[in-house]
Amino acid sequence: MGHPRIVWLAALAAFLARFPSLLWPLRPDEAGFLLVARAWLPAPASLYGPYWVDRPPPMIWLMRATDAVGGPYAHRFLGAIGCSLLVLAAAAAARELVRRAAKDQPRIERVTAAWTAVVAAALVSNAQIDAVAAKGELLGIPLVMTACWLILRAVRRGRPSDAFMAGLVGVLAVGLKQSIVGGLVFGTVLLVGSVVAGQLSWRCGLRHAAAATAGVAIPVLGVISWSVASGVRLQTLFYVVVSFRSDASQILAAENAGAATSRASTLVLISVCTAMALLLLWFLLRLRDLVRQDAVATVAVTVMLVVDLAGVAASGSYWSPYLFVPMPGLALAFALLMHSDRVHPHTVRARLTPVIPLAVVVSSVASLAGWTSTWIHGAVPYEVRTGQAIAAAARPGDRVMVYGGRADLQWASGAQSPYPYLWSLPMRTLDPDLGELKQLLAGPEAPTWFVEAARLDTWSEIGTRPIERSLISKYEFVGTACGRYRVYHLNTVEPLQLDVDCDSPWRTIWND
């Protein structure tokens, strides 16, 4: 079988491995982004209007566009396509890395590209990370990988047009999530390093840098222009996209770290079980060899991985999809390893490197098999069932508020929320004493339904007493859905019953 065919088969496998996205309802972030996109109404002091989210406008534009074209699950199809593009871009970048070190090595190019594609496909398909949702991390990494390929090609061919496209594509990834900066970091280090090492003249390097900067500037200026045209203050845009993370980090640091520490431990365990840690460790152990082979590219990949992993570590939340972010850097690291071993095929080190593709493939296949087995035996999305039950019992005009950040429950209810915070972190950061929530519950715009997706004092007892008093005085306790979610309804003289199906498993997205 020809090596190019392996690359295309790996890309197809990465696409098909997203099949779990057809078998599970919207996850909280996806539902939240869609709710924001559908209710989007920019104002001077509010980037998105009724709801608040700390994502750049391109992420919400994308969700809005896919929803308009194909419905609420269309972005998952785009995510599956993105996985294939990631694999193809990883193979193309691997070829460029080989060409940098030595020309006229077509066989080594093909072998390195093929195995890099296999590793990239296996990593992005691992169900231990997230086989269902398509969010900023998954949608952004194909752009990062493409930016890396383009800047490698720009340096080799000396064409500023490639550098322009690399900057453009790299910053589009940041537009999907602010922390996905790997493409920009890799490109910057590669350009500077190539000039310092004499691989690129200063004049050519400046032209490339100017072209890349122009590519970066176009989406940034586009977002700023939209903001001005829509009447959104620039300080509002800047706070949502940049400054909020600093405030949120302080909140996370001040809270009980038990849950975050548990998720961090899980993240480390997943990195081991997916063989991501193995690949990273082998890359670090081989740094000296790789620097001798191609110092500039090796340093660029190393800095990229350091920045990506530092972003995961500094997030303070440690959700498993964060592990998508370092995948482009890991794919490049493997390409460097594979190339080195093809040049020196008879060393002991060369015999150990093939263990990595085997490990990542076995882990990926086993994880998808485990996910499928769990689905076959029946899994119930309790949040969605609770929201559906509320939708069945609600009357036209009813509004639902979910405390604790379960936008999937909110989405399933089919009702609007009068509270702007669909996620818990914005609520804890922007309404820390629950003053806004207190005014809402005590006022005329109180939600018809109030759902406790988390205990009122989960993060702090500050401000919870007035909320409890409002629930006691104005609301009737309806019941605890599936033993998880306490549901309240505004006091009424009519009998109210909530029938939640806590037993029927979810089968496909066409149930929605």
Side-chain angles (χ1 to χ4, degrees):
M1 183 180 291
H3 298 308
R5 189 178 300 177
I6 293 177
V7 173
W8 285 102
L9 288 175
L12 177 62
F15 176 85
L16 296 177
R18 297 302 297 179
F19 71 86
S21 65
L22 301 175
L23 308 178
W24 200 250
L26 292 173
R27 302 291 293 141
D29 281 353
E30 296 174 299
F33 294 152
L34 282 165
L35 286 167
V36 172
R38 288 189 173 186
W40 198 347
L41 189 64
S46 177
L47 183 58
Y48 297 117
Y51 300 125
W52 202 100
V53 62
D54 61 321
R55 288 291 183 274
M59 181 68 230
I60 308 303
W61 283 334
L62 180 62
M63 296 297 289
R64 192 172 188 174
T66 56
D67 184 31
V69 171
Y73 289 97
H75 66 284
R76 288 186 174 175
F77 179 71
L78 186 64
I81 294 175
C83 289
S84 293
L85 293 178
L86 171 76
V87 173
L88 296 175
R95 291 190 187 96
E96 291 295 334
L97 286 171
V98 175
R99 291 168 187 168
R100 279 179 55 83
K103 296 180 180 179
D104 300 324
Q105 292 184 326
R107 184 178 180 280
I108 293 180
E109 276 186 37
R110 291 194 298 270
V111 171
T112 303
W115 282 109
T116 301
V118 169
V119 168
L123 286 176
V124 80
S125 302
N126 201 298
Q128 296 177 74
I129 299 172
D130 192 338
V132 174
K135 305 185 296 180
E137 296 88 353
L138 183 72
L139 296 168
I141 56 174
L143 299 174
V144 171
M145 195 76 258
T146 301
C148 294
W149 163 56
L150 287 168
I151 198 64
L152 283 166
R153 192 171 72 163
V155 170
R156 179 179 62 84
R157 303 198 317 180
R159 294 186 181 179
S161 58
D162 288 333
F164 171 83
M165 289 304 300
L168 178 66
V169 173
V171 82
L172 286 177
V174 181
L176 299 180
K177 188 172 182 182
Q178 298 92 314
S179 60
I180 311 180
V181 297
L184 300 179
V185 170
F186 178 82
T188 301
V189 177
L190 189 77
L191 271 181
V192 173
S194 296
V195 171
V196 171
Q199 299 170 355
L200 206 62
S201 69
W202 283 96
R203 181 174 296 180
C204 190
L206 288 173
R207 285 201 302 268
H208 279 55
T213 302
V216 168
I218 288 178
V220 174
L221 292 175
V223 171
I224 292 174
S225 300
W226 167 85
S227 179
V228 172
S230 301
V232 178
R233 299 191 190 104
L234 291 183
Q235 56 263 41
T236 299
L237 173 67
F238 187 80
Y239 182 77
V240 169
V241 175
V242 179
S243 301
F244 170 79
R245 296 308 307 180
S246 175
D247 292 345
S249 296
Q250 295 178 26
I251 293 296
L252 290 170
E255 290 177 347
N256 189 325
T261 301
S262 175
R263 288 196 300 271
S265 300
T266 301
L267 213 61
V268 172
L269 180 61
I270 292 174
S271 71
V272 172
C273 293
T274 58
M276 294 176 73
L278 174 64
L279 172 50
L280 179 62
L281 178 62
W282 190 232
F283 174 71
L284 294 176
L285 291 174
R286 296 284 304 282
L287 268 181
R288 181 178 297 180
D289 295 337
L290 300 178
V291 167
R292 291 197 193 101
Q293 172 182 286
D294 188 344
V296 174
T298 300
V299 171
V301 171
T302 303
V303 174
M304 179 184 181
L305 284 170
V306 168
V307 171
D308 285 341
L309 293 172
V312 174
S315 68
S317 297
Y318 311 115
W319 301 108
S320 61
Y322 293 177
L323 289 179
F324 283 123
V325 176
M327 284 184 185
L330 289 172
L332 292 172
F334 178 79
L336 289 172
L337 289 165
M338 195 68 193
H339 176 220
S340 176
D341 293 341
R342 291 302 92 195
V343 174
H344 307 286
H346 302 298
T347 63
V348 174
R349 293 187 294 270
R351 296 189 183 97
L352 292 176
T353 298
V355 171
I356 293 172
L358 177 63
V360 295
V361 169
V362 169
S363 174
S364 184
V365 171
S367 68
L368 282 171
W371 194 97
T372 305
S373 175
T374 300
W375 176 80
I376 289 173
H377 285 88
V380 182
Y382 299 111
E383 299 79 18
V384 172
R385 296 302 188 204
T386 301
Q388 290 174 334
I390 292 174
R395 294 184 175 182
D398 279 7
R399 295 192 296 176
V400 177
M401 192 230 144
V402 182
Y403 178 89
R406 292 298 316 202
D408 46 353
L409 195 160
Q410 183 79 47
W411 173 272
S413 74
Q416 294 292 312
S417 172
Y419 193 56
Y421 308 122
L422 300 173
W423 287 266
S424 66
L425 185 56
M427 178 193 75
R428 287 139 58 195
T429 305
L430 302 175
D431 191 18
D433 60 355
L434 302 180
E436 289 184 53
L437 181 54
K438 173 188 173 183
Q439 292 181 2
L440 174 66
L441 295 180
E445 300 298 319
T448 316
W449 300 81
F450 183 95
V451 182
E452 279 188 58
R455 287 173 53 92
L456 296 178
D457 60 355
T458 296
W459 298 283
S460 171
E461 294 184 358
I462 298 175
T464 58
R465 290 294 177 87
I467 308 303
E468 292 172 347
R469 286 196 292 268
S470 292
L471 291 177
I472 292 171
S473 63
K474 293 187 63 172
Y475 285 83
E476 172 187 354
F477 175 64
V478 178
T480 302
C482 303
R484 295 166 179 258
Y485 305 113
R486 293 174 62 85
V487 181
Y488 300 83
H489 187 278
L490 280 173
N491 288 332
T492 176
V493 296
E494 299 180 6
L496 184 65
Q497 185 175 357
L498 193 66
D499 185 15
V500 186
D501 180 2
C502 301
D503 301 314
S504 298
W506 185 274
R507 286 308 175 196
T508 71
I509 61 173
W510 294 283
N511 293 349
D512 198 354

